[in-house]
């Protein structure tokens, strides 16, 4: 009997908890206001040359309001990230980008429904500016299904 009640309680909590999934309707990504997006972290994982377009992309990423973190921080370890940012919970951390010489990783907090497209949109915009030019960018729009 107890397992049945625990399963029902868990189902009610998951569906009705306000922080489980923030539903965003018809949003354009990346979000234009950094205040709405939470904390975004930026990290250089390996040294980048000053004339490397990837360095320009990183610099553009920082101008979006991303917070630079040192290479000693493991951005995939939520306890380290929370301690370094002085937050008690991870819901304020929306995503991060790790720039390396051979790749760029866009990471996101899966607690938020819009974190993945926002994080990826920021990284893609930065790469467009770094590799194509200052006037370039990528815009993505999310439209939800009516059901």
């Amino acid at each position: 009997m107890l397992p049945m009640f625990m399963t029902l309680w868990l189902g009610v909590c998951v569906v009705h908890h306000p922080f489980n999934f923030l539903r965003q309707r018809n949003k354009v990504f990346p979000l234009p206001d950094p205040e709405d997006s939470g904390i975004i972290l930026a990290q250089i994982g390996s040294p980048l040359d000053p004339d490397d377009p990837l360095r320009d992309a990183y610099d553009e990423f920082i101008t979006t309001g991303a917070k630079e973190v040192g290479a000693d921080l493991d951005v995939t370890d939520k306890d380290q990230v929370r301690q370094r940012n002085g937050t008690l919970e991870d819901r304020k951390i929306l995503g991060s980008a790790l720039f390396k010489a051979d790749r760029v990783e866009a990471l996101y907090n899966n607690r938020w429904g819009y974190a993945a497209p926002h994080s990826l949109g920021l990284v893609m915009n930065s790469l467009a500016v770094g590799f194509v030019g200052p006037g370039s960018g990528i815009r993505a729009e999310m439209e939800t299904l009516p059901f």
Side-chain angles (χ1 to χ4, degrees):
M1 192 74 154
L2 182 61
M4 181 181 74
F5 285 123
M6 291 187 69
T7 303
L8 289 172
W9 178 252
L10 179 65
V12 169
C13 289
V14 166
V15 171
H16 295 290
H17 194 277
F19 299 119
N20 279 340
F21 188 82
L22 183 59
R23 288 178 174 83
Q24 298 286 328
R25 298 200 181 274
N26 301 335
K27 285 284 189 182
V28 175
F29 295 100
L31 295 172
D33 187 8
E35 296 299 319
D36 291 341
S37 63
I39 299 171
I40 301 285
L41 304 175
Q43 183 180 60
I44 294 181
S46 59
L48 301 174
D49 291 330
D51 2 320
D52 188 355
L54 202 53
R55 180 62 195 201
D56 295 336
Y58 178 79
D59 293 340
E60 174 64 24
F61 191 78
I62 294 302
T63 64
T64 64
K67 180 178 180 181
E68 287 184 276
V69 294
D72 61 327
L73 176 68
D74 180 7
V75 294
T76 61
D77 183 354
K78 76 175 181 181
D79 291 330
Q80 274 189 34
V81 171
R82 286 191 327 212
Q83 281 180 339
R84 197 65 67 88
N85 288 295
T87 60
L88 296 175
E89 53 193 335
D90 65 340
R91 68 184 173 113
K92 293 182 180 179
I93 309 292
L94 189 66
S96 60
L98 178 58
F99 287 78
K100 295 183 178 180
D102 60 342
R103 70 180 179 271
V104 178
E105 297 176 16
L107 308 171
Y108 64 94
N109 184 347
N110 66 357
R111 181 177 284 234
W112 306 108
Y114 63 92
H118 179 65
S119 183
L120 184 60
L122 287 174
V123 168
M124 296 302 289
N125 266 347
S126 301
L127 290 173
V129 168
F131 284 90
V132 178
S136 60
I138 296 174
R139 177 180 165 234
E141 190 168 337
M142 180 174 78
E143 293 185 24
T144 56
L145 293 172
F147 50 88

